Amino acid sequence: MTTDWRPSASIETLRERARLLARVRAFFAERDVLEVETPMLGHGGSTDPHLASLSLEATTPAGRERLWLQTSPEFHMKRLLAAGSGPVFQLARSFRDGEVGRRHNLEFTMLEWYRPGDTLDELIAETQALIRYVLGRDPGPCRQCRYRELFRTQVGLDPFTASLTTLCQAAERETGMDLHDAERDACLDALMAFAIEPHLGQEGLEVVVDYPASQAALARKHRDPEDGEVVAARFEVYWQGVELANGYDELTDAEEQAARFVEDNRERQRLGRGEVDADVRLLAALEAGMPSGSGVALGMDRLIQLALGKASVAEVMAFATPRC
């Protein structure tokens, strides 16, 4: 008889998980941020070439339609912002195909919140405060560093100017994988994951800023005041070598967002990954006028894993993907 009916996490761990989720809600209640619930299914999915969306067919009032399981609640939450919600947060079930491992699960909990009118620096400060509040202890001081400088000091190359050949060779050396025909961002991601991330946040929280413009996703782009390079207005927060949060100065231009959807799907086709339906309702919301501001997504399972000293996210989930 199979024994994998049992939970992935102990009952005591699930009690601790509930306690930490309650702290998240208390944090935002103190700041008068509205908790919302948005659909896990949508007519549009994430066109990001590096994400694998899941879809299904369902019967709706329009007949049989293809619907997408959301990789994050971002699109729906931005529609609420455009409708005048003010600051909002959500603890959302999210889905990404093929992502199962020590720090990943096909279905997971994403904490996402948006602050109309706030700058990226203000959101960075609030993200640090949230992490400290949930942990209930001091994870150490916070240090901010630029993406470019991390590569220069830890990999010995400039990620913006190094040739693709140089990046491929460096990525192969660090990972032991065959990356001779990989794209530029794939090499940068591999170097980040293997050569840089394990060292981040070992003495406290570490915030990485000014990512390459090609990795802007749904963030605005701006010029680095130091060298004039166009970079993405986004940040990531690391602790103990684990990426916890990814924040953006949110893109509000409907025309640019539509162009990014098209370019994403063009890249997906080139990579043989299939197109994903773009979210036309998000574009309509941006056209109607979403307020400027910042937003951040935080992997709640990862934060709970680190808070409780567990080896994997499966140990803090009731039923991780293999047992669902």
Side-chain angles (χ1 to χ4, degrees), residues 39-56 66-76 78-79 95-96 217-218 257-258 260-262 264-265 268 273-283:
M40 289 187 287
L41 291 171
H43 285 89
S46 174
T47 59
D48 188 324
H50 305 294
L51 293 182
S53 296
L54 291 163
S55 66
L56 54 81
R66 188 183 198 186
L67 298 176
W68 296 90
L69 285 162
Q70 301 298 284
T71 58
S72 94
E74 180 171 6
F75 295 172
H76 288 106
K78 287 182 172 178
R79 288 164 59 185
F95 304 83
R96 296 182 183 181
L218 276 73
Q257 184 60 76
R260 290 194 194 183
F261 281 157
V262 171
D264 281 351
N265 269 323
R268 293 184 70 88
R273 293 178 181 171
E275 288 192 24
V276 173
D277 295 329
D279 193 323
V280 295
R281 289 181 175 86
L282 172 64
L283 297 178

Side-chain angles (χ1 to χ4, degrees), residues 35 71 93 135 164 194 220 223 226-227 239 266 289 321:
E35 181 174 8
T71 58
R93 304 303 292 174
L135 291 175
L164 178 56
F194 283 82
R220 295 178 189 266
R223 288 198 178 275
E226 181 177 314
D227 52 28
W239 186 42
R266 187 177 293 123
T321 296

Side-chain angles (χ1 to χ4, degrees), residues 99-162:
E99 297 197 9
V100 178
R102 193 161 62 90
R103 296 176 184 167
H104 298 85
N105 197 68
L106 188 147
E107 178 181 359
F108 59 98
T109 299
M110 182 83 84
L111 168 61
E112 199 151 321
W113 75 98
Y114 292 87
R115 284 286 197 175
D118 275 18
T119 66
L120 210 57
D121 285 339
E122 288 173 320
L123 191 61
I124 289 172
E126 186 168 57
T127 302
Q128 295 178 48
L130 179 280
I131 291 171
R132 295 176 190 278
Y133 186 86
V134 172
L135 291 175
R137 65 180 190 275
D138 185 6
C142 184
R143 182 173 79 101
Q144 187 165 303
C145 47
R146 296 168 66 237
Y147 182 96
R148 190 174 201 173
E149 287 307 312
L150 284 173
F151 273 79
R152 284 171 169 169
T153 58
Q154 298 191 33
V155 185
L157 56 78
D158 188 320
F160 295 158
T161 62

